[in-house]
Amino acid sequence: MRRAPLARACAEAQSVWLGSRESAGRAVAETGVRPASRRLRGGAFAMPGMVLFGRRWAIASDDLVFPGLFELFLRVLWWIGILTLYVRHRRQLDCAGGVLLSTYLIVLIILLAVIICTVSAIVGVSMRGTICNPGPRKSMSKLLYVRLALFLPEMAWASLGAAWIADSVQCDRIVVNGIIATVVVSWIIIVSTAVIVYIVFDPLGGKVAPHSSAGPSLPDGHEPSQLLTGLRTAATSVWEARIKLLCCCVGKDDRTRVAFSSTAELLSTCFSDTDLVPSDIAAGLSLLHQQQDSIRDNEEPKEVISHPPGSSQEADLDAELENCRHFMQFAAAAYGWPLYIYRNPFTGLCKVGGDCCRRRTTEYDVAGGEQLHCHFGSILHTTGLQHRDFIHISFHDQVYELPFIVALDHRTESVVVAVRGTMSLQDILTDLSAESETLDLECDVQDRLAHKGISQAARYVYRRLVGDGILSQAFSTAPEYRLVVVGHSLGGGAAALLAFMLRSSYPHVRCYAFSPPRGLLSKSLHEYSKDFAVSLVLGKDVIPRLSVTNLEDLKRRILRVIAHCHKPKYEILLRGCWYELFGGSPASLPTELEGGAHPDLTQPLLGEQSLLTRSSPLPSPTKYPPLYPPGRIIHLEEEGTSRRCSCYTSQYTARWAHESEFSKILIGPKMLTDHMPDILMRALDSVVSDRAVCVSCPAPGGLDADGRLAPL
């Protein structure tokens, strides 16, 4: 019953498409002009997604090299083993039922030989051409039909073998065991193939969208728009079904259903307008990384503006770095015991293990904690505070509802609110609810748009802090303290929006956002937040560069580099893996098209446009406008060439950065590891230690000699 809306959406999209095809056919008959087809050199259609049985699949004809070689390796070993078994033990088959077993082995040897030849041909054909030139692989569909047809006798023979073995044939035990192994291997391969077919099945494979620039131009513009609307609705329904299956244990309340719909719409928007399969994206990312490194190696050295040690900019940077190192401990503590044990794999469990089994005491009640379990001990060890310093600890985790802690930091004379980052499926749904909504703020800023999911999460924490009297309790205990809001990743974004909401009641609130998402604030709010917020970004961290508009830019760059590459996909992936693991010269790798060798593909957007299924990158610019990170940005850059293994100690330099430096997603081995809070803490400790020239000298806005937070 749940698939009914999806089926209706697909049927509507299909009917609109059929109608548009009929209209196009009538136009051809009346005018005699046939629409331009989407052809590249060799007369092949630029359709990376393979078409079998009249529908598109989430696999391309050049994706079968590595799976084919793996199957070929297994089949050849299997064939040699069966042949050896038959040759060495055929004289021992003169037993009851031996004729059946002998016939089984002979037919299996012949069948395996035919399958090996077919798979070899599939591998050979799959190595031909390029991603955007599948012409040399046009015979692939016929070979796959033959290969799939061979599964029928293989299944039948495996079933007969199982039946004969079940009849307790009285023959040599070695022969019987060999045939049992053969039957088991046969069924393993058959079941594995069925699983792979299920994985690469595309629910929207039967729907084909008209192409804006390189494809057929339909006479009526209204019908293509209806088709695209139907396709988008069907794609959203498919993604929503997938998300519900993945997050089946999250819950079914109204907030969760809204998050499902928002996430499905975002994913369908990002991935339903290209004709790429997952391996194409992997190849494109590999090429982009090499191209990015090649540009970096060839560009002129940047002019470095040095400031004397006593300059105001350097003093301000030193002060904020010291603040970041101190408050990052609270942002890390908000993750609870999982991060603590991850950071201390040998001693962490011993230190917090007693708190996991200890019964709740009045100390826990004073902290206001619910369901703390092992968390409280890890928080104490991470922050170095005492239990009486905590006003509230909450690890309640739902969609749009984040865990947070409130503590009194006597060292800086601050009330610290730390919001946890992404740790659960509920948090991921909050991250992916990427529409924009207007913040209700008491400020003069006109454009007050922000990330919807993070805004909802910040509003939940605000209601708890103000509505439940948590902040009132904290400031009644320490009325002279100031308010500081911190968080990492999702928690950093929520902390920044929370600071906006609290600013009317607490004008001196300060925010430290560690690795916050880029797609958070409108340009006006970004500029406004520079008065009270600081963001810290490490290296090539992808999250501070991640937004819907940046994803669209990344997609266009992937399409461009794929269309301009003249190498087959398997070679791109092999060289890409070698480059990621061991490095090399990016100039020797296929990062752009050699126009002299292929003059018919030198148009810069020919292949790129052929891979798009619609011209507009975003269906609703008002829903996904450009968004920016919060506050002033400190960027910790790795010195020298980036190492490919995060186990080595890297050296970093710190500087103030502009938000435009994070307007593109950078590809590299550390784009994910640089986001990890433990790596960020190590880098921050290293930078602060290296920059510590005069520890006893107070700096404006930083920690003075007594460890207090100096005024701005």
Side-chain angles (χ1 to χ4, degrees):
M1 294 300 293
R2 292 183 178 179
R3 297 185 60 88
L6 172 59
R8 278 199 304 273
C10 293
E12 291 172 1
Q14 181 74 12
S15 63
V16 174
W17 169 237
L18 292 175
S20 62
R21 290 184 61 185
E22 292 175 1
S23 300
R26 287 195 299 269
V28 171
E30 293 172 1
T31 62
V33 178
R34 186 171 298 276
S37 61
R38 193 164 61 113
R39 290 180 182 270
L40 297 178
R41 61 186 170 89
F45 287 92
M47 186 82 171
M50 193 161 48
V51 178
L52 288 175
F53 302 106
R55 68 179 301 118
R56 178 190 181 278
W57 296 76
I59 190 173
S61 55
D62 53 357
D63 283 339
L64 304 176
V65 176
F66 301 116
L69 288 175
F70 180 70
E71 182 182 1
L72 200 59
F73 174 75
L74 294 180
R75 296 281 184 178
V76 170
L77 288 182
W78 187 9
W79 184 79
I80 293 175
I82 295 298
L83 183 63
T84 303
L85 178 68
Y86 178 75
V87 170
R88 295 186 60 181
H89 298 277
R90 59 182 176 178
R91 302 193 179 195
Q92 301 175 12
L93 293 176
D94 54 351
C95 55
V99 177
L100 293 178
L101 296 184
S102 177
T103 305
Y104 177 81
L105 292 177
I106 293 174
V107 174
L108 184 60
I109 290 172
I110 298 174
L111 183 60
L112 284 176
V114 175
I115 292 175
I116 289 172
C117 294
T118 305
V119 174
S120 301
I122 290 174
V123 172
V125 172
S126 186
M127 289 181 173
R128 302 175 184 173
T130 64
I131 295 176
C132 289
N133 180 27
R137 303 189 298 272
K138 59 185 178 181
S139 60
M140 178 61 73
S141 58
K142 296 178 182 178
L143 289 173
L144 286 177
Y145 287 138
V146 173
R147 177 66 190 93
L148 292 174
L150 289 174
F151 273 110
L152 297 177
E154 188 175 11
M155 290 177 62
W157 216 239
S159 302
L160 286 176
W164 289 338
I165 294 299
D167 288 339
S168 301
V169 178
Q170 300 297 323
C171 286
D172 185 76
R173 199 61 198 168
I174 297 178
V175 177
V176 174
N177 291 337
I179 294 179
I180 291 176
T182 296
V183 172
V184 171
V185 172
S186 297
W187 281 110
I188 289 176
I189 292 179
I190 292 170
V191 173
S192 301
T193 303
V195 172
I196 293 173
V197 170
Y198 176 78
I199 292 174
V200 302
F201 177 79
D202 185 357
L204 297 175
K207 318 298 177 291
V208 184
H211 293 261
S212 56
S213 58
S217 57
L218 300 178
D220 186 0
H222 178 64
E223 289 178 346
S225 64
Q226 284 183 322
L227 169 63
L228 293 177
T229 301
L231 287 175
R232 197 174 299 125
T233 302
T236 302
S237 300
V238 169
W239 279 106
E240 188 167 354
R242 292 170 176 170
I243 295 168
K244 287 181 178 178
L245 179 63
L246 180 64
C247 305
C248 57
C249 58
V250 169
K252 298 181 180 179
D253 55 11
D254 292 338
R255 291 192 308 272
T256 304
R257 284 191 289 269
V258 170
F260 284 159
S261 300
S262 299
T263 304
E265 189 166 356
L266 172 65
L267 295 177
S268 63
T269 297
C270 292
F271 298 106
S272 64
D273 63 340
T274 61
D275 191 30
L276 298 178
V277 297
S279 61
D280 296 332
I281 298 175
L285 291 175
S286 176
L287 290 173
L288 277 181
H289 184 205
Q290 299 162 37
Q291 185 184 68
Q292 170 187 299
D293 288 353
S294 178
I295 294 173
R296 182 201 61 201
D297 294 343
N298 295 328
E299 68 182 1
E300 295 292 332
K302 295 181 180 179
E303 181 181 357
V304 179
I305 302 176
S306 60
H307 301 278
S311 67
S312 60
Q313 290 191 19
E314 285 296 293
D316 184 39
L317 180 58
D318 287 335
E320 295 297 2
L321 283 171
E322 186 65 43
N323 292 336
C324 287
R325 179 169 71 167
H326 178 73
F327 290 115
M328 182 61 199
Q329 299 174 10
F330 291 88
Y335 283 99
W337 65 265
L339 178 60
Y340 183 78
I341 293 180
Y342 177 77
R343 292 178 58 204
N344 304 276
F346 301 108
T347 61
L349 188 59
C350 297
K351 290 182 178 179
V352 304
D355 295 295
C356 300
C357 305
R358 188 180 302 158
R359 297 182 61 184
R360 287 189 52 169
T361 65
T362 55
E363 296 174 354
Y364 283 69
D365 294 328
V366 171
E370 66 253 9
Q371 301 178 0
L372 292 182
H373 301 303
C374 307
H375 293 303
F376 197 50
S378 66
I379 293 173
L380 294 176
H381 286 293
T382 302
T383 61
L385 301 181
Q386 302 297 320
H387 64 83
R388 60 178 177 273
D389 297 327
F390 289 90
I391 304 299
H392 190 87
I393 301 176
S394 171
F395 276 88
H396 171 78
D397 187 15
Q398 292 295 332
V399 178
Y400 304 148
E401 298 178 358
L402 299 178
F404 65 96
I405 62 177
V406 181
L408 299 178
D409 181 23
H410 303 296
R411 181 185 174 190
T412 61
E413 296 185 349
S414 306
V415 175
V416 180
V417 178
V419 186
R420 197 191 72 180
T422 303
M423 276 280 288
S424 64
L425 289 175
Q426 291 92 329
D427 300 335
I428 293 175
L429 292 174
T430 302
D431 285 317
L432 295 179
S433 298
E435 301 101 321
S436 297
E437 69 175 18
T438 302
L439 291 179
D440 184 14
L441 301 175
E442 298 179 7
C443 62
D444 297 332
V445 179
Q446 295 292 332
D447 184 13
R448 301 193 299 272
L449 292 178
H451 185 290
K452 174 187 171 182
I454 302 178
S455 173
Q456 297 281 349
R459 191 170 292 113
Y460 160 77
V461 179
Y462 176 82
R463 289 196 303 267
R464 294 291 308 275
L465 293 176
V466 177
D468 294 352
I470 297 174
L471 284 184
S472 299
Q473 179 185 353
F475 283 103
S476 65
T477 305
E480 72 282 6
Y481 283 13
R482 68 181 63 192
L483 180 61
V484 178
V485 187
V486 302
H488 174 265
S489 187
L490 169 63
L497 297 184
L498 179 61
F500 275 101
M501 300 173 185
L502 293 169
R503 190 163 169 76
S504 59
S505 302
Y506 302 91
H508 299 293
V509 63
R510 297 179 67 178
C511 172
Y512 290 93
F514 304 98
S515 306
R518 175 177 176 83
L520 183 66
L521 302 169
S522 63
K523 185 68 172 179
S524 301
L525 288 179
H526 162 71
E527 295 294 337
Y528 181 74
S529 65
K530 290 182 179 180
D531 293 338
F532 58 90
V534 172
S535 293
L536 184 72
V537 179
L538 175 63
K540 295 183 178 180
D541 187 352
V542 66
I543 300 301
R545 297 173 171 86
L546 191 61
S547 66
V548 178
T549 51
N550 281 11
L551 278 177
E552 287 294 329
D553 172 74
L554 177 64
K555 181 169 60 179
R556 298 290 295 192
R557 288 191 287 148
I558 289 176
L559 294 175
R560 184 182 298 271
V561 75
I562 283 177
H564 287 192
C565 183
H566 63 281
K567 297 293 185 181
K569 188 192 298 184
Y570 78 93
E571 187 174 339
I572 296 173
L573 295 176
L574 282 176
R575 291 190 176 190
C577 290
W578 180 271
Y579 184 76
E580 297 296 337
L581 293 175
F582 306 107
S585 174
S588 64
L589 297 170
T591 57
E592 61 183 9
L593 181 70
E594 294 178 358
H598 305 288
D600 50 347
L601 270 182
T602 54
Q603 295 296 326
L605 295 180
L606 177 62
E608 176 185 350
Q609 290 295 336
S610 70
L611 294 172
L612 286 173
T613 59
R614 56 182 170 85
S615 57
S616 175
L618 289 175
S620 177
T622 57
K623 181 173 289 188
Y624 302 112
L627 297 177
Y628 303 87
R632 297 180 297 163
I633 304 174
I634 299 176
H635 189 201
L636 304 184
E637 291 182 300
E638 186 174 0
E639 294 181 344
T641 305
S642 176
R643 296 179 181 267
R644 279 164 167 74
C645 180
S646 59
C647 57
Y648 295 102
T649 302
S650 301
Q651 296 296 322
Y652 293 91
T653 58
R655 65 178 181 86
W656 291 109
H658 191 266
E659 59 82 15
S660 60
E661 300 179 38
F662 306 94
S663 59
K664 281 191 175 182
I665 296 175
L666 300 181
I667 310 301
K670 291 189 174 183
M671 60 186 296
L672 297 178
T673 57
D674 280 349
H675 187 68
M676 298 298 293
D678 61 313
I679 295 178
L680 177 59
M681 294 177 74
R682 288 203 300 267
L684 193 54
D685 289 340
S686 173
V687 169
V688 173
S689 300
D690 292 342
R691 293 177 64 93
V693 179
C694 182
V695 180
S696 61
C697 298
L703 297 178
D704 59 18
D706 296 328
R708 292 187 176 88
L709 188 64
L712 287 172

